[in-house]
């Protein structure tokens, strides 16, 4: 590995509270891309760490993950939605957003129990809008899902995160910082991640205002999304949530049942700007 830590992060609003200022961190280079490509970067070695779906921890051996910063939801989360063309009980096909491993896994776990059976899940090629695919429903994630949901005339939705919490009693861990095998993180690297989380928390209101202006959405809706629906610090239930995810995903052939990832504690530090 070179002296620069190559870090990947999604280009979505939900990642900003965890990557704020990392593009200016010494000894780091930041890459913005959809989660599916970031995961590929971890696997092929072009990235050293990335903020990606927690399910990836159980799909390839040797991963470690940072304990502290994470994207979690303990209920309804507007940026991960299954938009319905039919009543939920009549849904027999679902087009899956190719950009997200977290949303796809979550939907395949929780939707069958609500839809009265397992629908046909359609894997959409990367770069294709799942809304353009002929299906009874489609999964959308990130900023596009948020904008669609908050727009006038939005279709009805099934919210996978809300269903997960009702099913398990645990928060859903959408994303964590995953470190690929063979990469050594220094204390300063860990401080950079902690400082980014601290900066993000301090900038939450300005991020809401920026999103409201950019997308023409109500400010209160953006605040509700970032400040209430999403949480950016993994609590004491992180380990239990990850274990439950693996337990439910493995029988569906969505991950390996026996892989274990090593946690890396992140220090609490004062933000250095």
């Amino acid at each position: 590995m070179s002296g620069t830590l190559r870090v990947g992060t999604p280009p979505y609003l939900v990642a900003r509270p965890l990557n704020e200022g990392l593009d200016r961190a010494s000894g780091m280079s930041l890459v913005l891309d959809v989660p599916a490509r970031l995961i590929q970067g971890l696997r092929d070695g072009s990235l050293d760490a990335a903020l990606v779906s927690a399910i990836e921890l159980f799909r390839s051996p040797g991963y470690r993950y940072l304990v502290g910063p994470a994207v979690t939801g303990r209920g309804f989360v507007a940026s991960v939605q299954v938009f319905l063309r039919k009543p939920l009980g009549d849904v027999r096909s679902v087009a899956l957003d190719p950009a997200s491993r977290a949303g796809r896994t979550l939907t395949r776990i929780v939707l069958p129990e609500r839809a009265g059976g397992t629908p046909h899940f359609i894997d959409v090629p990367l770069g294709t809008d799942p809304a353009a695919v002929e299906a009874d429903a489609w999964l959308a994630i990130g900023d596009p899902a948020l904008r669609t949901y908050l727009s006038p005339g939005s279709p009805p939705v099934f919210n996978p995160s809300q269903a997960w919490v009702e099913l398990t009693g645990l928060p859903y861990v959408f994303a964590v910082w995953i470190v690929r095998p063979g990469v050594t993180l220094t204390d300063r690297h860990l401080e950079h991640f902690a400082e980014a989380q601290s900066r993000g928390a301090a900038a939450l209101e300005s991020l809401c205002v920026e999103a409201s202006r950019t997308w023409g959405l109500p400010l209160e809706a953006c605040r509700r999304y970032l400040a209430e629906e999403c949480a950016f610090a993994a609590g004491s239930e992180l380990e239990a949530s990850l274990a439950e995810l693996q337990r439910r995903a493995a029988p569906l052939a969505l991950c390996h049942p026996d892989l274990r990832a090593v946690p890396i504690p992140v220090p609490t530090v004062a933000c250095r700007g």
Side-chain angles (χ1 to χ4, degrees), residues 78-97:
S79 62
V80 179
Q81 301 275 21
V82 176
F83 292 95
L84 304 173
R85 294 189 173 101
K86 292 183 177 181
L88 185 59
D90 296 332
V91 169
R92 297 295 176 264
S93 58
V94 182
L96 298 176
D97 192 321

Side-chain angles (χ1 to χ4, degrees), residues 152-238:
S154 174
V157 298
F158 167 76
N159 191 260
S161 177
Q162 186 174 34
W164 168 272
V165 175
E166 293 170 357
L167 181 65
T168 68
L170 293 165
Y172 187 72
V173 183
F174 285 98
V176 292
W177 288 110
I178 295 180
V179 183
R180 70 173 174 85
V183 171
T184 300
L185 296 185
T186 67
D187 289 344
R188 188 64 188 117
H189 288 146
L190 294 176
E191 289 174 357
H192 281 319
F193 286 112
E195 289 165 1
Q197 183 182 13
S198 178
R199 281 190 296 266
L204 211 58
E205 176 64 16
S206 63
L207 292 176
C208 294
V209 172
E210 178 184 336
S212 176
R213 289 175 178 170
T214 301
W215 298 332
L217 297 175
L219 179 57
E220 283 307 311
C222 295
R223 283 181 179 142
R224 183 170 58 249
Y225 169 63
L226 274 188
E228 299 176 21
E229 296 176 7
C230 299
F232 302 99
S236 59
E237 295 173 303
L238 174 63

Side-chain angles (χ1 to χ4, degrees), residues 27-272:
M28 286 187 171
S29 63
L30 199 64
V31 174
L32 275 65
D33 210 335
V34 297
R37 290 198 182 99
L38 297 179
I39 287 172
Q40 186 57 45
L42 287 175
R43 293 180 180 180
D44 66 23
S46 59
L47 291 174
D48 301 313
L51 183 64
V52 294
S53 169
I55 194 65
E56 177 65 10
L57 291 171
F58 312 118
R59 289 181 170 173
S60 187
Y63 281 132
R64 292 170 295 151
Y65 66 98
L66 304 191
V67 176
V71 180
T72 69
R74 186 178 271 286
F76 186 96
V77 175
S79 62
V80 179
Q81 301 275 21
V82 176
F83 292 95
L84 304 173
R85 294 189 173 101
K86 292 183 177 181
L88 185 59
D90 296 332
V91 169
R92 297 295 176 264
S93 58
V94 182
L96 298 176
D97 192 321
S100 169
R101 299 294 185 266
R104 290 157 63 99
T105 300
L106 177 59
T107 299
R108 293 187 63 177
I109 290 172
V110 300
L111 185 60
E113 293 201 17
R114 296 296 188 85
T118 302
H120 172 54
F121 291 109
I122 302 169
D123 290 320
V124 178
L126 198 60
T128 300
D129 181 358
V133 176
E134 186 175 348
D136 297 336
W138 76 93
L139 168 70
I141 65 119
D143 299 349
L146 184 64
R147 292 196 302 270
T148 299
Y149 173 70
L150 294 175
S151 298
S154 174
V157 298
F158 167 76
N159 191 260
S161 177
Q162 186 174 34
W164 168 272
V165 175
E166 293 170 357
L167 181 65
T168 68
L170 293 165
Y172 187 72
V173 183
F174 285 98
V176 292
W177 288 110
I178 295 180
V179 183
R180 70 173 174 85
V183 171
T184 300
L185 296 185
T186 67
D187 289 344
R188 188 64 188 117
H189 288 146
L190 294 176
E191 289 174 357
H192 281 319
F193 286 112
E195 289 165 1
Q197 183 182 13
S198 178
R199 281 190 296 266
L204 211 58
E205 176 64 16
S206 63
L207 292 176
C208 294
V209 172
E210 178 184 336
S212 176
R213 289 175 178 170
T214 301
W215 298 332
L217 297 175
L219 179 57
E220 283 307 311
C222 295
R223 283 181 179 142
R224 183 170 58 249
Y225 169 63
L226 274 188
E228 299 176 21
E229 296 176 7
C230 299
F232 302 99
S236 59
E237 295 173 303
L238 174 63
E239 185 175 347
S241 298
L242 292 175
E244 185 68 8
L245 173 61
Q246 185 179 28
R247 187 183 76 82
R248 290 181 179 272
L252 302 176
L254 298 175
C255 70
H256 294 285
D258 302 320
L259 287 181
R260 296 293 179 264
V262 178
I264 305 173
V266 174
T268 301
V269 299
C271 178
R272 302 188 188 186

